[in-house]
Amino acid sequence: MAVLAIALAFTMLSLDRTGKVDIDYWWVYGGGADGARSLLGSVAGSMISVAATAFSITIVALQLAASNFGPRLLRNFMQDTGNQIVLGTFIGTFIYCLFVLRTIQGEGDGYEQYVPQLSVTVGTLLAIISIGVLIYFIHHASTIIQASYVIQNVSEDLHSAIKRLFPEKIGHGEPEHRQGVEEIPMSFEEEALPIRSNGTGYLQAIDNGELMEIACKHNLLVRLKVRPGKFLIQGSDLALVFPGKKVNKKLTKQINDAFILGKERTEQQDIEFPIDQLVEIALRAISPGINDPFTAIRCIDRISAGLCHLVQRDFPSPYRYDKNNKLRFIAKGVDFQGLVERAFNQIRQYGKSDAGVTIRLLEAIAAIATYTNNSKYQASLRHHADMILQDSREGLSQEQDRKDVEESYYQVIKNLNNDDNNKDWD
């Protein structure tokens, strides 16, 4: 936006110099050089002051977010389009006024008086727009630090990741009549050689298309040892390549280039990351220092909505084939059981003394159970419901609270035992 402001300034000044634009209108600035200087100087000075204030408010919002929601949520604030537009508008207006101000010449300056009237008018218009943007920023800054807003944004990231990753297209999946494990060579473990990481950091994404192209080009079978979201140390194994005799420095570099490392995790290929963010907000909310179970309940609601969406998606097969139906690489990803543990374990452990949080956990499991008849998924949900019930008996001191939890538990069992519990999720 700063660059666009510079381009706008040069464009308007060029139009003023050519005189091809009719400026004989009442709304066009018609004053002298001193008035134009005073006007643009006031606008520029006020804009830089307002921009500094906006920066300060943004920093305060970041501090509140870090303390209340966790430092990993700062990425969401830094990427907020509203904040970027507000700061860009203020800075752009300031830069525009500076570039126009330097061209104004008065009669006492030793030059012929020159006032770019159209450019000064546009500067006034930018100042008016900036006032509107300031009003928007005051509202926006007070909104983005609210727990409901933060939780909703993370929940949207979760749903977007589910739609993007399940199922994920890497070549094409294993046909129903084939068992990929049977196509793995018997000598795979003995002849395969590892490809080790050249760097250290969080694995943010894997270029699956590039890996498939490499495997097809060199006639390889690749088994991935890591998945996005994992922290890698330089020298740790990324994949096993068969046959190992084809592994060389060039191939190692090509495969390493398909693994994108960064300083922090992202939700692009890491379905666990938005779940971890919601869990972190919930844990902070039920901590003794904050003691806000309602925020934790909101997080549980959003997690349950995401898992209800997830159980209706096909998890991609770990066995990936090329266009000729030849097994090229094995990319074992996350499973439902692991995601449920990620979602509920810590909240269950830290919230077992809060009846409201415990009951909402069971209600969430009951809701998820109505969307699946997969026996493995049901067994995992039953296991977590049993652990929640057991923890509540130890953590809740009031008998009535324990009875309320047991009623919610029986509802979970009822939903799990219902064979006609498939529903379409929209």
Side-chain angles (χ1 to χ4, degrees), residues 20 66 70 74 94 253 302 309 346 348 353 365 367 376 378 413:
K20 295 181 179 180
L74 293 182
F94 171 74
K253 183 180 184 304
R302 295 293 184 172
H309 186 185
Q346 293 190 70
R348 169 183 59 82
S353 60
I365 293 177
K376 292 183 179 180
Q378 290 179 337
I413 301 304

Side-chain angles (χ1 to χ4, degrees), residues 173-212:
E174 174 186 353
E176 293 182 359
H177 65 278
R178 297 171 62 175
Q179 295 293 330
V181 67
E182 298 176 358
E183 300 179 36
I184 301 176
M186 296 293 294
S187 59
F188 182 88
E189 296 293 340
E190 292 76 17
E191 297 184 23
L193 287 182
I195 301 295
R196 294 186 169 87
S197 173
N198 290 335
T200 299
Y202 287 99
L203 180 57
Q204 296 179 337
I206 300 175
D207 190 342
N208 300 300
E210 179 66 18
L211 280 180
M212 176 63 76

